[in-house]
Amino acid sequence: MTTGLIPGDQPPDPRPTNGLPHQRDEPVGHGAMSAENRPRSSVITARAAASFEPVGRSVASARAFVRDTLQGWGFADIIDDAVVLTSELVTNAVVHAGTSADLLCLRSDDGVRIEVADRYPEREVPLQGSAATMGSPDREGGRGLQLCAALADRWGVEYSPTYKTVWFQLDVPERPAGTRTAGPALPSDLLPIADTRVRVAVVQIDRTGAISSWNEDAEELFGYRADQVTGKPLTDLAAWPHTPGTGTGIAEALQLSRWEGSYGIRDAQGRVTPVYASHLRVRDADGDPSTVCLLVRDHERAVLQTPLRAPVSDTSESQSTDPFEVFIGSPAPDDLDSLLQRTVERARDMLDGDSAFLLLATDDETELEVRASTGLPSARQRFARVPVEAGSGRYGSARMPSVHDDLTALPGAVPLLNGTGMRSVVTVPLKVEGRLTGSLGVAAEGAGRYSNEEALRLQFAADRIALAVESARLGELERLRRGSLSFLVEASDLLAGTLDRDQTLALMAQMTVPTLATWCAVYTIADQASEPYLSYVLHEDEELIDGIKSLLSKMAPPDPVPAPGARVWSAPGEVAHQAALRTSMRSLGLSGGPSNQVASGIGPTLTTASAVGGETVVLPLVARNRVIGMLTLGKPTDEHFRQEILELAEDLSRRAALALDNARLYSERTAISQSLQRSLLPPELPVIDGVEVEVIYRAAGEGNEVGGDFYDLFPISDGAYGFAIGDVCGTGPNAAAVTGLARHALRLLAREGLSGPAVLERLNSAILDEGARSRFLTLLYGELRPQEDGSAELKVVCAGHPLPLRLRQDGTVEPAAEPQPLLGVIEDLDLYEQTVTLDPGDVLLCVTDGVTERREGLNMLGDDGLAEVLKTCTGLTAGAVAARIMRAVERFASDAPSDDMAILAMRVPGLHQD
């Protein structure tokens, strides 16, 4: 939402017309008239504008905008009607028409004009003379114009080629609203006329708020006898319309030492009689507090209304009668924001200003942060920060009372008021024990409105409220710190729970949005020579993520500055605004427009520009003295970050940077480990005529560390193949060295024509030569030769490895070799090979100990369990045998495997099978 407040005469129409005149229609309804014919004698004194996106939540935002604007202007009497009409018209635009809505509020001396424009000019509008076409009250749409006809003093519809504008006018009642005093003395012919004798109702309220006394004039004015109302709460009769700009109710007003203002009393017939009341808190003869209320008809308020105060010089006397004695009221708001908001509203009313604001100082007193305002576009200013020191664009008058007669003569003296149309301002400091804690100011659109007397009155009020504000601020900071500590603990736990880089990036973004920011982007830097890369983008509205990602990917990333803390990055907002403007001009058939580095193909929408149009900050991600990325946080249009939020984001960025770097290191280590593991296994198995071969390999452990089990099958010579399956003691680099040595040495030695025992004896010597890096090795090695009769001859050496099992066609299972010493233990080995013949249909199963030592509690699968499973595999192919063995092993225990597993199955097909 974009807002602005500009005083002056008739404002220019902000909507483009391509040089064409506005087309206008006159809808039928009470008070409707052409925009050309409506009265223009009233001078426009202020203008507030806002734009709302075509989403459902914009309706609530529009209602709040109108309510805040009219409260700031002091038009409390018409707020409810204005909010209802605005809600219906904005709903028609953003929900039913599906376009954005432009809202314009114009203030004049006699009322308020509100315009709602959408970009759907061809939408149905009732024709003149056909009131029935305005729609039924039961329909979802069409009620906005009916309400305009019922509630507004005047209303109408205007057209342009690209816009349709519905406007309505609400006149302000002639009587002054709220608790403000009347104007200066008037000539006698302008004094109010009393049609009957003036009656003054005297009502006394006891300490419980119940009526204890009711005079004859009260009976005459409201129709109740004294016995009918005595003992009843006054709140049962009062129709309280809330003092403009405050939350004070009648129950609170009865507790104040003195109060004057307007409200209504429901008479005996149920009608509301507007009255002007003067309350005075007294004590009776018993010392109990009670309130005496004097009430007259509202148009006779001059009887009771306190005249304007004359200038006073005696400070002590002013303290006893100053309205700020009851400045905040009782009870005071519990939270800081409500306390600050009530402070600025009361300060504005006290000095009869057009706006007021309150800023709180940072801990080091070098900056002031806007925390509350009224009569100003608060959405644009909230949490904005300005330096305290003197200079252009700085808040040099923060440490002492200051009065500016005309800000146009000294631009930038109060940066908060730049572009708001305020000309005169009085500001005073909030101090606690000599320390600057904030600044309170009241401003007016006219020049020369304030003098030193107003500064003294405002300073007196500021001194009264400073301690309460500081106490509430410290309480808020304590709650924020507790919440921040809890947030950081939870963030640390989440970040420590993963070593996956992509998941870490997602967690970083999800923890910041929407807790710390509306949107965020994470840039990563691979190494010192690499440019920052946009790795992740998140927005609280998922529909905006693609637009922001497209925008950021087409513009230069922020500089990777290692300096700690958040720094403002204005490029996204500027580029988005320029690109959106250029797109809008093309859509209107205009050429040219501001140039920018974003390609014309992006076409960011106004919604994207609004999403990134607020404050954007960049925090470096520094880990191990190196910038590994940047965390970018952003707010939508005209919003700023609180200092406490930036400090929390800085703490989060440090933790996130370390987690991201740990994930990077772990990913690199895992990639190296898996690459080395793959290099220790054969890339593919050869095809052997007459023999089926199937291998299943399962690496255990998170990250699949290298080492452990291995297998191999390779040709030796014509018609002969070598096969091996082994297990190195341990894991890690040393075990991987032995694994690689064993696999490559077996191939080399076997192809030299050495027998199986000779191959293993030389491999044993090579392992022992490794010295401290040597490892025990269990190994099953054999040579396979298919025979012409369909069988296969195997020569096998089993060096400390689980024995191979032979499955015959009749279902019997038996070991196919005898155990011999393992490798890597003693130098002199006396190994021998055994010859096994696989007949057609026979299967030879070779496994590592990860299969046989599979455990569930104290139970272990073992050699016998493996043999029982193998007996069920009669008639299956080698692939089916290996798969059934693996399924049986996995089902044996519910826990994940703790050791590598390798299964090598070789089968000779039957003569009349397969």
Side-chain angles (χ1 to χ4, degrees), residues 665-845:
L665 294 174
Y666 180 78
S667 298
E668 292 178 355
R669 176 187 174 189
T670 300
I672 294 172
S673 175
Q674 293 175 345
S675 177
L676 182 56
Q677 182 73 67
R678 288 191 296 269
S679 71
L680 300 177
L681 300 174
E684 59 183 13
L685 298 177
V687 178
I688 304 176
D689 294 335
V691 178
E692 298 175 359
V693 179
E694 182 65 27
V695 173
I696 296 179
Y697 182 85
R698 293 287 188 273
E702 186 177 357
N704 302 329
E705 291 188 345
V706 296
D709 300 358
F710 71 95
Y711 66 89
D712 203 359
L713 179 65
F714 54 91
I716 298 176
S717 58
D718 293 341
Y721 295 86
F723 66 90
I725 185 169
D727 185 3
V728 177
C729 175
T731 58
N734 291 337
V738 176
T739 300
L741 172 65
R743 177 171 174 266
H744 294 292
L746 284 175
R747 289 194 172 212
L748 179 63
L749 296 174
R751 287 170 178 170
E752 290 294 324
L754 300 176
S755 64
V759 169
L760 267 61
E761 289 170 0
R762 295 194 181 188
L763 175 58
N764 180 64
S765 299
I767 294 174
L768 292 175
D769 289 343
E770 289 291 306
R773 295 189 303 172
S774 66
R775 288 288 189 275
F776 304 149
L777 171 63
T778 67
L779 181 65
L780 172 65
Y781 173 76
E783 294 181 1
L784 169 67
R785 291 180 181 273
Q787 303 297 311
E788 294 181 358
D789 60 358
S791 63
E793 181 184 81
L794 288 78
K795 294 182 178 180
V796 183
V797 180
C798 186
H801 200 76
L803 299 179
L805 299 179
R806 177 182 181 180
L807 172 65
R808 296 183 180 273
Q809 277 190 310
D810 58 5
T812 59
V813 175
E814 60 184 8
E818 298 176 354
Q820 301 184 58
L822 52 77
L823 307 182
V825 180
I826 59 177
E827 294 184 1
D828 296 328
L829 291 178
D830 186 13
L831 302 176
Y832 59 91
E833 64 183 7
Q834 296 174 274
T835 302
V836 179
T837 300
L838 294 181
D839 296 325
D842 289 355
V843 175
L844 184 71
L845 177 67

Side-chain angles (χ1 to χ4, degrees), residues 29-32 81-82 85 89 112 114 144-156 166-171:
H30 175 70
D81 288 348
L85 293 177
L89 296 181
V112 171
I114 297 179
L145 299 180
Q146 285 184 316
L147 287 174
C148 284
L151 300 179
D153 295 286
R154 291 181 297 278
W155 66 280
V166 180
W167 62 269
F168 61 88
Q169 174 90 18
L170 295 175
D171 294 338

Side-chain angles (χ1 to χ4, degrees), residues 117 189 855 903:
D189 58 340
R855 292 181 179 274
I903 299 174

